[in-house]
Short mmCIF file of all heavy atoms in Angstrom, two decimals:
data_model
loop_
_atom_site.label_atom_id
_atom_site.label_comp_id
_atom_site.label_asym_id
_atom_site.label_seq_id
_atom_site.Cartn_x
_atom_site.Cartn_y
_atom_site.Cartn_z
N TYR N 335 3.96 0.34 -1.57
CA TYR N 335 3.68 1.33 -0.60
C TYR N 335 4.35 2.50 -1.02
O TYR N 335 5.53 2.58 -1.62
CB TYR N 335 4.30 0.88 0.74
CG TYR N 335 4.16 1.90 1.88
CD1 TYR N 335 2.92 2.11 2.53
CD2 TYR N 335 5.27 2.63 2.25
CE1 TYR N 335 2.72 3.03 3.52
CE2 TYR N 335 5.11 3.60 3.30
CZ TYR N 335 3.90 3.82 3.86
OH TYR N 335 3.74 4.77 4.92
N PHE N 336 3.74 3.81 -0.90
CA PHE N 336 4.36 5.02 -1.31
C PHE N 336 4.81 5.77 -0.06
O PHE N 336 3.97 5.91 0.91
CB PHE N 336 3.15 5.83 -2.06
CG PHE N 336 2.94 5.35 -3.37
CD1 PHE N 336 2.28 4.14 -3.65
CD2 PHE N 336 3.33 6.01 -4.64
CE1 PHE N 336 1.91 3.70 -4.87
CE2 PHE N 336 3.05 5.55 -5.81
CZ PHE N 336 2.28 4.35 -5.91
N GLY N 337 5.95 6.36 -0.11
CA GLY N 337 6.46 7.08 1.06
C GLY N 337 7.69 7.82 0.67
O GLY N 337 7.96 8.08 -0.52
N PHE N 338 8.60 8.04 1.57
CA PHE N 338 9.80 8.77 1.39
C PHE N 338 10.94 8.42 2.43
O PHE N 338 10.54 8.08 3.58
CB PHE N 338 9.60 10.31 1.28
CG PHE N 338 9.22 11.01 2.56
CD1 PHE N 338 10.00 11.90 3.17
CD2 PHE N 338 8.00 10.68 3.11
CE1 PHE N 338 9.75 12.57 4.50
CE2 PHE N 338 7.68 11.31 4.38
CZ PHE N 338 8.51 12.30 4.94
N THR N 339 12.21 8.41 2.03
CA THR N 339 13.12 7.84 2.88
C THR N 339 13.51 8.76 4.08
O THR N 339 14.09 8.23 5.01
CB THR N 339 14.50 7.64 2.09
OG1 THR N 339 15.09 8.91 1.71
CG2 THR N 339 14.29 6.80 0.82
N TYR N 340 13.21 9.90 4.03
CA TYR N 340 13.44 10.85 5.16
C TYR N 340 12.32 10.83 6.19
O TYR N 340 12.28 11.45 7.17
CB TYR N 340 13.52 12.40 4.71
CG TYR N 340 14.83 12.67 4.08
CD1 TYR N 340 15.20 12.25 2.83
CD2 TYR N 340 15.88 13.38 4.81
CE1 TYR N 340 16.37 12.54 2.20
CE2 TYR N 340 16.95 13.66 4.26
CZ TYR N 340 17.28 13.27 2.92
OH TYR N 340 18.56 13.65 2.46
N CYS N 341 11.25 10.09 5.96
CA CYS N 341 10.08 9.88 6.89
C CYS N 341 10.68 9.40 8.17
O CYS N 341 11.31 8.31 8.29
CB CYS N 341 9.13 8.93 6.26
SG CYS N 341 7.58 8.88 7.20
N PRO N 342 10.29 10.10 9.27
CA PRO N 342 10.86 9.69 10.60
C PRO N 342 10.29 8.52 11.22
O PRO N 342 10.93 7.77 11.98
CB PRO N 342 10.54 10.93 11.44
CG PRO N 342 9.41 11.63 10.75
CD PRO N 342 9.52 11.30 9.34
N ASP N 343 9.06 8.09 10.96
CA ASP N 343 8.40 7.00 11.64
C ASP N 343 7.47 6.17 10.85
O ASP N 343 7.64 5.02 10.78
CB ASP N 343 7.62 7.50 12.86
CG ASP N 343 6.92 8.80 12.63
OD1 ASP N 343 6.45 9.01 11.49
OD2 ASP N 343 6.65 9.61 13.58
N VAL N 344 6.49 6.78 10.16
CA VAL N 344 5.42 5.99 9.57
C VAL N 344 5.96 5.06 8.39
O VAL N 344 5.67 3.98 8.48
CB VAL N 344 4.26 6.95 8.88
CG1 VAL N 344 3.33 6.17 8.31
CG2 VAL N 344 3.67 7.82 10.12
N CYS N 345 6.73 5.70 7.58
CA CYS N 345 7.24 4.86 6.36
C CYS N 345 8.01 3.67 6.81
O CYS N 345 7.86 2.49 6.42
CB CYS N 345 7.94 5.65 5.34
SG CYS N 345 6.88 6.77 4.48
N PRO N 346 9.06 3.90 7.72
CA PRO N 346 9.93 2.74 8.10
C PRO N 346 9.15 1.70 8.87
O PRO N 346 9.35 0.50 8.72
CB PRO N 346 10.95 3.43 9.04
CG PRO N 346 10.57 4.79 9.17
CD PRO N 346 9.58 5.17 8.19
N GLU N 348 5.87 0.86 8.32
CA GLU N 348 5.04 0.17 7.28
C GLU N 348 5.98 -0.76 6.47
O GLU N 348 5.61 -1.88 6.25
CB GLU N 348 4.35 1.13 6.45
CG GLU N 348 3.09 1.89 7.13
CD GLU N 348 2.05 0.96 7.53
OE1 GLU N 348 2.00 -0.25 7.21
OE2 GLU N 348 1.23 1.45 8.43
N PHE N 373 8.60 -0.14 -2.80
CA PHE N 373 8.57 1.13 -2.23
C PHE N 373 8.61 2.16 -3.23
O PHE N 373 9.78 2.36 -3.93
CB PHE N 373 9.64 1.17 -1.06
CG PHE N 373 9.71 2.51 -0.41
CD1 PHE N 373 8.54 3.05 0.23
CD2 PHE N 373 10.87 3.17 -0.20
CE1 PHE N 373 8.48 4.26 0.84
CE2 PHE N 373 10.97 4.38 0.48
CZ PHE N 373 9.74 5.03 0.92
N ILE N 376 7.59 9.33 -3.00
CA ILE N 376 6.80 10.58 -3.31
C ILE N 376 7.64 11.78 -3.01
O ILE N 376 7.12 12.82 -3.06
CB ILE N 376 5.45 10.56 -2.57
CG1 ILE N 376 5.53 10.22 -1.12
CG2 ILE N 376 4.50 9.51 -3.21
CD1 ILE N 376 5.92 11.35 -0.22
N TYR N 389 18.29 2.67 1.10
CA TYR N 389 17.15 2.65 1.98
C TYR N 389 16.46 1.21 1.94
O TYR N 389 16.10 0.67 2.97
CB TYR N 389 16.19 3.66 1.71
CG TYR N 389 15.17 3.99 2.77
CD1 TYR N 389 15.52 4.50 3.99
CD2 TYR N 389 13.67 3.68 2.61
CE1 TYR N 389 14.62 4.67 5.01
CE2 TYR N 389 12.79 3.90 3.52
CZ TYR N 389 13.32 4.28 4.74
OH TYR N 389 12.44 4.67 5.75
N MET N 432 7.07 15.18 4.28
CA MET N 432 6.06 15.10 3.27
C MET N 432 4.74 14.55 4.00
O MET N 432 4.91 13.61 4.81
CB MET N 432 6.47 13.97 2.18
CG MET N 432 7.67 14.31 1.39
SD MET N 432 7.61 15.83 0.27
CE MET N 432 6.42 15.12 -1.00
N ASP N 433 3.74 15.18 3.66
CA ASP N 433 2.35 14.54 4.21
C ASP N 433 2.02 13.57 3.13
O ASP N 433 2.16 13.90 1.90
CB ASP N 433 1.30 15.65 4.24
CG ASP N 433 1.53 16.66 5.29
OD1 ASP N 433 2.22 16.29 6.31
OD2 ASP N 433 1.09 17.82 5.15
N HIS N 434 1.62 12.39 3.45
CA HIS N 434 1.24 11.37 2.47
C HIS N 434 0.26 10.41 3.06
O HIS N 434 0.38 10.09 4.27
CB HIS N 434 2.42 10.73 1.82
CG HIS N 434 3.33 9.93 2.80
ND1 HIS N 434 3.15 8.52 2.86
CD2 HIS N 434 4.16 10.22 3.72
CE1 HIS N 434 3.88 8.09 3.73
NE2 HIS N 434 4.57 9.04 4.26
N SER N 435 -0.47 9.82 2.21
CA SER N 435 -1.36 8.71 2.71
C SER N 435 -0.46 7.56 2.78
O SER N 435 0.45 7.28 2.22
CB SER N 435 -2.57 8.53 1.79
OG SER N 435 -2.15 8.45 0.44
N SER N 436 -0.96 6.70 3.76
CA SER N 436 -0.05 5.58 4.25
C SER N 436 -0.92 4.26 4.09
O SER N 436 -1.45 3.74 5.01
CB SER N 436 0.38 5.70 5.53
OG SER N 436 1.24 4.64 6.03
NI1 NI S 296 6.05 8.45 5.68
#
Side-chain angles (χ1 to χ4, degrees):
Y335 180 76
F336 290 70
F338 66 115
T339 69
Y340 282 77
C341 186
D343 42 27
V344 176
C345 291
E348 290 298 345
F373 177 50
I376 44 78
Y389 194 68
M432 301 293 292
D433 293 331
H434 66 98
S435 43
S436 182

